[in-house]
Amino acid sequence: MGNSVIDQRNVVVTGGARGLGAAIVKQFSATGANVSVLDLTSPELPPLGALSNEGSIVWYRTDVTKEREVRNSVREILGTHGPIDVLINNVGGAVWPNLDVSMRSLDIPTWEHTFQLNVHGAFYCSHHVIPYMTRSGNASIVNISSVNALMALGHPAYSASKAALSAMTRAIAVEYGPQGIRCNGVIVGTMNTKAWATRLNCYPNLLEDIASAYPLRRIATPDEIASVVLFLCAPGSSFISGTDIVVDGGLTAGREDLANRLMPDFCGPNVDNEFS
């Protein structure tokens, strides 16, 4: 995307070991950024630092749901790279103790752990990084959210936690905008990552069936989402703050099946002009 120059900026990516996080790390590193990865596991990447001739990649073993670990890793990053320009709160996910996660059956530990993963971790990272973000006028935080924040698609704890993350995005943007820090969210639709592996073992055609619900009739690749994240941290997005960018292939735009029911072919030209 235009003006995607991140050269020599210091970037922190949580959950950068695989999937979308790894795609984000690769794209930032390719621009020459120094990328610090906070994750419990080592990134599924070539040897650290080998992805780019310009940028560096360093892994800090961190459980972002543990405030002390986040604080210690941020201190280490500051000592190595100096002030942080960009924070990508990518860690998140749905906790599935069993197949039934309806509001009726959802247990308290699952609810609490889901919020720890999707909200608390982003808060801990933002809380400890913001005081040390550069005042360059283009410091940026991006929170990775989900279409579940906008639609009821099952798992109420996941939906509620992602909606809370969107609210935190707006709060950060308003409070820290005067200090030159922007904050935005990326609302993500279904992506083809290894997170689906267990469910695909049980239902091999699952992703094809999900894709049929999207107007584009396909799901996203991690690289497509990562390019939007990169744009939100680049000069070309310098007046975008406090909003969620929806990258969902048209899923939340409407339902084709409902549209077809509202406009049935068999009604002919004398169909009512009222819609309600």
Side-chain angles (χ1 to χ4, degrees):
M1 290 189 177
N3 289 334
S4 59
V5 178
I6 316 290
D7 184 47
Q8 298 302 310
R9 303 185 78 192
N10 294 325
V11 178
V12 175
V13 180
T14 71
R18 57 178 61 84
L20 174 58
I24 292 170
V25 169
K26 290 177 183 178
Q27 291 201 21
F28 272 98
S29 178
T31 71
N34 300 311
V35 184
S36 299
V37 178
L38 304 189
D39 207 311
L40 281 170
T41 56
S42 178
E44 293 179 348
L45 303 169
L48 296 183
L51 282 176
S52 170
N53 293 325
E54 302 176 21
S56 65
I57 302 172
V58 180
W59 170 50
Y60 297 85
R61 189 185 188 282
T62 311
D63 181 350
V64 300
T65 69
K66 303 293 192 297
E67 186 270 338
R68 178 178 294 181
E69 292 191 25
V70 171
R71 182 176 69 245
N72 291 340
S73 292
V74 169
R75 287 176 177 172
E76 192 172 350
I77 292 168
L78 291 168
T80 302
H81 297 295
I84 295 165
D85 300 286
V86 172
L87 169 63
I88 311 299
N89 286 313
N90 172 66
V91 164
V95 182
W96 297 87
N98 52 64
L99 293 178
D100 187 358
V101 287
S102 64
M103 184 65 78
R104 173 186 56 80
S105 63
L106 192 65
D107 59 72
I108 301 304
T110 298
W111 178 274
E112 292 178 342
H113 185 52
T114 303
F115 268 78
Q116 288 171 353
L117 195 60
N118 295 315
V119 183
H120 296 182
F123 168 73
Y124 296 149
C125 291
S126 300
H127 179 74
H128 287 292
V129 166
I130 285 173
Y132 304 101
M133 295 197 90
T134 61
R135 302 299 183 254
S136 63
N138 198 32
S140 182
I141 298 172
V142 178
N143 296 322
I144 305 301
S145 189
S146 166
V147 291
N148 291 67
L150 305 176
M151 306 170 67
L153 296 170
H155 208 315
Y158 183 66
S159 292
S161 65
K162 287 299 187 180
L165 184 61
S166 292
M168 189 169 73
T169 294
R170 295 188 293 272
I172 292 172
V174 171
E175 183 172 351
Y176 292 100
Q179 299 179 37
I181 298 173
R182 298 183 298 113
C183 186
N184 293 289
V186 176
I187 300 282
V188 178
T190 306
M191 285 181 294
N192 189 357
T193 69
K194 291 183 178 180
W196 292 92
T198 300
R199 280 169 283 181
L200 286 172
N201 287 335
C202 301
Y203 187 179
N205 296 323
L206 177 60
L207 293 182
E208 287 80 0
D209 288 348
I210 291 174
S212 68
Y214 283 78
L216 292 183
R217 296 296 187 269
R218 67 178 182 87
I219 60 176
T221 67
D223 281 335
E224 288 177 308
I225 308 300
S227 67
V228 178
V229 175
L230 187 70
F231 167 71
L232 287 173
C233 301
S237 66
S238 58
F239 203 59
I240 301 175
S241 191
T243 193
D244 284 321
I245 305 298
V246 180
V247 190
D248 70 348
L251 179 68
T252 58
R255 289 177 48 188
E256 183 184 33
D257 60 335
L258 181 58
N260 289 337
R261 291 185 183 186
L262 290 171
M263 299 290 290
D265 292 336
F266 63 80
C267 285
N270 294 321
V271 73
D272 293 339
N273 290 323
E274 290 266 342
F275 289 88
S276 62

